[in-house]
Amino acid sequence: MSRTLVFAGNWKMHKAPADARSFFDEFLGRIAPAGDRRIIFFPPALAVPTAVEACSGRSDVEIGVQHIHWEELGAFTGEISAGMARAAGAQASLIGHSERRHLFGETVGETGKKLQAASRAGLLPVLCVGETIDERRADRAEQVVREQLEPLLDCLRGNGISRDRVMVAYEPVWAIGTGETASPDDAQEMHARIRALLDEVDAAHVPLLYGGSVKPENASVLLSGEDVDGVLVGGASLEPSSFARICDAR
Ligand code: PGA
């Protein structure tokens, strides 16, 4: 039986609501629903309602947010809560994306609180982990990834979140937006390590996505790794034609 592959698009700070609408007008015409493919978009929060409406009727396409706060409400200027995202139709949330960690100072402790907040509100958390180039050169990649995974392993040990509604994305920081991609062997090797850590908490089946300069040209070879269950795509998810080609990769 073929496995279900996940194709996720992280639009970062791109696309106002009208741009999201024109993206889906074209993209949904290019991609027919397929039982073995799950597609998730992470538009900027302001474009979420438009994206949700444009994709209604397509059960293979889900919409998520890029970021949430762990509190439900309060004096947190500029933030949105998991419950608000859910109420706007979002079904998932990225957590711990490297840009949040490195540009905005998100800590490992905060990612733990966000994992629980997402799960409580009924959002699928997609925890992003990955080492910097200095950490890789210092042979610390595995240790860094293990530390970043710890809040998730902790939640799973305590049954704080559902094993069936969570994903992990391995995104080496040096491969994000740089055109440098981890080799398929490097990606598979780290995915196998992440899988082994998840196995220790009976969660080996959690889907593992690879991210970092994924393009139509390299998606198939990256997905050939047996522990690579999908891709998280930034730049190449902004164009309907390029993301549709990625979603057709097998
Ligand atoms: P990229 O971004 O595909 O543009 O490298 C990936 C990501 O940051 O999720």
Side-chain angles (χ1 to χ4, degrees):
M1 206 181 82
S2 66
R3 52 188 181 145
T4 296
L5 294 178
V6 181
F7 297 88
N10 172 14
W11 285 354
K12 309 190 180 185
M13 201 168 72
H14 295 275
K15 296 194 193 294
D19 306 318
R21 161 84 53 203
S22 8
F23 176 95
F24 287 114
D25 282 350
E26 184 179 339
F27 177 78
L28 296 175
R30 286 178 180 267
I31 279 288
D36 60 354
R37 174 171 58 208
R38 194 168 166 188
I39 301 174
I40 313 178
F41 285 97
F42 297 93
L46 287 176
V48 162
T50 305
V52 167
E53 197 199 318
C55 300
S56 64
R58 285 289 299 255
S59 59
D60 57 320
V61 182
E62 294 157 72
I63 304 300
V65 288
Q66 300 171 10
H67 169 63
I68 48 165
H69 193 274
W70 57 86
E71 294 289 348
E72 282 172 32
L73 46 87
F76 302 103
T77 301
E79 296 290 329
I80 56 170
S81 71
M84 288 170 187
R86 186 75 198 92
Q91 291 174 274
S93 178
L94 293 179
I95 293 179
H97 187 277
S98 68
E99 283 149 22
R100 299 302 318 172
R101 293 182 196 264
H102 296 288
L103 301 178
F104 301 103
E106 188 164 308
T107 65
V108 169
E110 287 171 4
T111 60
K113 291 193 269 189
K114 291 178 182 192
L115 280 169
Q116 293 182 42
S119 202
R120 268 199 311 274
L123 293 179
L124 167 99
V126 180
L127 178 69
C128 305
V129 298
E131 80 286 358
T132 64
I133 191 64
D134 289 345
E135 290 161 345
R136 175 159 279 254
R137 288 193 182 126
D139 216 11
R140 292 186 55 235
E142 195 183 336
Q143 181 195 338
V144 168
V145 166
R146 201 177 328 112
E147 283 164 11
Q148 293 174 344
L149 270 180
E150 194 49 45
L152 173 62
L153 301 176
D154 222 37
C155 287
L156 292 170
R157 263 182 225 114
N159 293 316
I161 66 175
S162 161
R163 280 172 174 65
D164 297 323
R165 269 187 66 75
V166 62
M167 293 184 191
V168 173
Y170 169 58
E171 299 201 299
V173 180
W174 46 272
I176 295 180
T178 58
E180 292 260 342
T181 320
S183 73
D185 288 348
D186 286 342
Q188 165 56 29
E189 192 183 332
M190 187 62 89
H191 279 230
R193 289 182 183 161
I194 294 172
R195 181 88 69 206
L197 290 167
L198 287 164
D199 192 27
E200 287 173 18
V201 293
D202 297 326
H205 62 286
V206 165
L208 306 183
L209 318 188
Y210 170 79
S213 297
V214 176
K215 305 269 179 282
E217 297 72 31
N218 61 19
S220 288
V221 66
L222 287 161
L223 285 165
S224 64
E226 68 172 306
D227 291 301
V228 181
D229 307 312
V231 284
L232 176 55
V233 186
S237 71
L238 295 171
E239 280 296 321
S241 58
S242 79
F243 194 55
R245 281 172 63 205
I246 291 174
C247 292
D248 273 335
R250 281 293 179 276

